[in-house]
Amino acid sequence: MEINDERMKALVEKALDFRLQRHGLIAGNIANINTPGYRSKDISFENKLRAAVGSDSMSLKKTHKNHLGHSESISEIVPDLVVPNQPAIKNDLNSVDIEKELGKMGRNNLMYSVLLQALNRKDKLLEYSITESGS
């Protein structure tokens, strides 16, 4: 399956937005580690982005968003809020596990950095091809 550059850039930018949202949720979880009854939160978006990549395979023109089944445009994709059903860590019914949250934050930061580097390299390659084609 081939996906055009403009669509790929939009997907990477959307993934960066979601990674930033996830960072905020994880930071909020950590900040609420001592809040009685607080449940840790996360977002789920990876499957929706994968589906958006797959929906580009036929590139049929739709006259209505529900024709041929509904497939969201990249700009319409929103993450799902997830409140994991994990047991409370302390007697105050707080479910924040600091080790898990720090691990999630580290993985999320790494993925954000990788996506940002990929986006920057793509832009630099495009800029180089434009400026060098005239010489």
Side-chain angles (χ1 to χ4, degrees), residues 18-26 42-43 45-46 108:
F18 291 157
R19 292 278 168 199
L20 194 57
Q21 286 180 26
R22 178 174 275 161
H23 181 85
L25 283 173
I26 295 169
D42 199 354
I43 56 173
F45 56 88
E46 293 86 351
N108 192 61

Side-chain angles (χ1 to χ4, degrees), residues 13-77:
E13 288 172 346
K14 186 59 95 166
L16 284 167
D17 289 345
F18 291 157
R19 292 278 168 199
L20 194 57
Q21 286 180 26
R22 178 174 275 161
H23 181 85
L25 283 173
I26 295 169
N29 291 342
I30 293 170
N32 283 289
I33 195 163
N34 292 319
T35 303
Y38 182 84
R39 308 302 289 175
S40 65
K41 297 170 184 67
D42 199 354
I43 56 173
S44 174
F45 56 88
E46 293 86 351
N47 289 338
K48 288 185 175 186
L49 292 179
R50 273 189 216 97
V53 170
S55 70
D56 191 50
S57 60
M58 292 188 64
S59 299
L60 296 175
K61 183 176 178 171
K62 291 183 177 186
T63 56
H64 187 274
K65 70 178 183 174
N66 289 329
H67 288 175
L68 304 172
H70 176 68
S71 68
E72 294 175 301
S73 74
I74 294 168
S75 63
E76 294 174 333
I77 300 172

